[in-house]
Amino acid sequence: MTALSTRFVSAIEYLSFERQSDEKHELHHGEVIAMSGASREHNLITTNAARRLGNQLEGRPCETFVSDMRVAAPSGSNYYYPDVVVTCGKPEFEDRHGDTLVNPTVVIEVLSPSTESKDRGAKFLEYRGIASLQQFVLVSQVAPHVEVFTRTSDTSWSLMDYVGLDAVVPLPSIGCQLLLAELYDRITF
């Protein structure tokens, strides 16, 4: 990691390094960023979301990935590990390694104090460039609150807020829904 952290690297250098690393790193405009551990709440919310979506998608041509599926941004210089990714249809990968998805349908990020600004800003800006992405979901850890950005055209996105444990989040792009009571199972506010 030391050699890569002191200079900007190309996507090829990053992928070569990342595929040999025991730890996960994202690449943002040539800067390699180590992924830190997540809180209990973050892990529970991520697992709850992936399990609920996976159950609803059973028998359908969609796949759900949690935390370890790298997503390539179309800029060619950014790679991220979303908390949950769903792709429908045939998954497409950047290369023969099959570890970098290029056609997500839904991306879910669970917000952490250290990542919220980047998730809302730089990452969402990059994710919006992925033609297959239909919905981008931000999930709060500190309150039962979910924001869903839905693509309305090539350049426009609409925002819907869902607040409270009684709320139900529709994800029409994959024909699913998330009940906030289930998403936040075992979380105390």
Side-chain angles (χ1 to χ4, degrees):
M1 171 59 188
T2 306
L4 291 181
S5 65
T6 59
R7 63 181 178 86
F8 288 97
V9 300
S10 69
I12 292 170
E13 290 173 303
Y14 161 76
L15 289 170
S16 175
F17 167 76
E18 186 68 4
R19 288 176 174 141
Q20 297 174 32
S21 178
D22 293 333
E23 299 170 350
K24 291 190 308 187
H25 306 83
E26 293 185 331
L27 182 68
H28 186 72
H29 296 298
E31 181 181 1
V32 176
I33 301 164
M35 302 291 293
S36 61
S39 69
R40 172 186 174 270
E41 292 78 11
H42 189 283
N43 278 301
L44 282 171
I45 294 166
T46 298
T47 301
N48 289 341
R51 182 181 50 208
R52 302 297 181 185
L53 292 175
N55 288 344
Q56 293 175 65
L57 293 168
E58 192 170 319
R60 294 177 41 207
C62 299
E63 296 181 13
T64 304
F65 302 99
V66 180
S67 301
D68 285 334
M69 179 54 72
R70 187 172 40 250
V71 171
S75 65
S77 63
N78 297 305
Y79 294 86
Y80 302 112
Y81 288 97
D83 292 310
V84 180
V85 180
V86 177
T87 187
C88 291
K90 183 179 179 188
E92 297 174 15
F93 299 98
E94 187 173 64
D95 57 29
R96 64 177 172 77
H97 291 280
D99 58 3
T100 306
L101 188 69
V102 297
N103 68 327
T105 306
V106 173
V107 167
I108 299 174
E109 293 284 6
V110 178
L111 300 173
S112 299
S114 63
T115 64
E116 182 170 358
S117 175
K118 186 175 180 181
D119 288 342
R120 291 182 177 284
K123 276 189 179 182
F124 185 36
L125 181 63
E126 289 293 322
Y127 288 145
R128 287 190 308 232
I130 301 173
S132 63
L133 187 67
Q134 297 302 304
Q135 293 186 287
F136 178 63
V137 181
L138 295 173
V139 181
S140 172
Q141 284 188 70
V142 299
H145 180 210
V146 173
E147 298 167 78
V148 179
F149 294 86
T150 301
R151 185 184 298 273
T152 57
S153 73
D154 286 345
T155 59
S156 297
W157 293 77
S158 66
L159 167 64
M160 291 295 294
D161 276 308
Y162 301 90
V163 179
L165 293 175
D166 293 334
V168 177
V169 176
L171 297 171
S173 64
I174 56 173
C176 294
Q177 63 182 16
L178 288 172
L179 285 65
L180 265 62
E182 294 176 348
L183 186 64
Y184 288 106
D185 185 35
R186 299 184 186 181
I187 304 294
T188 303
F189 297 106

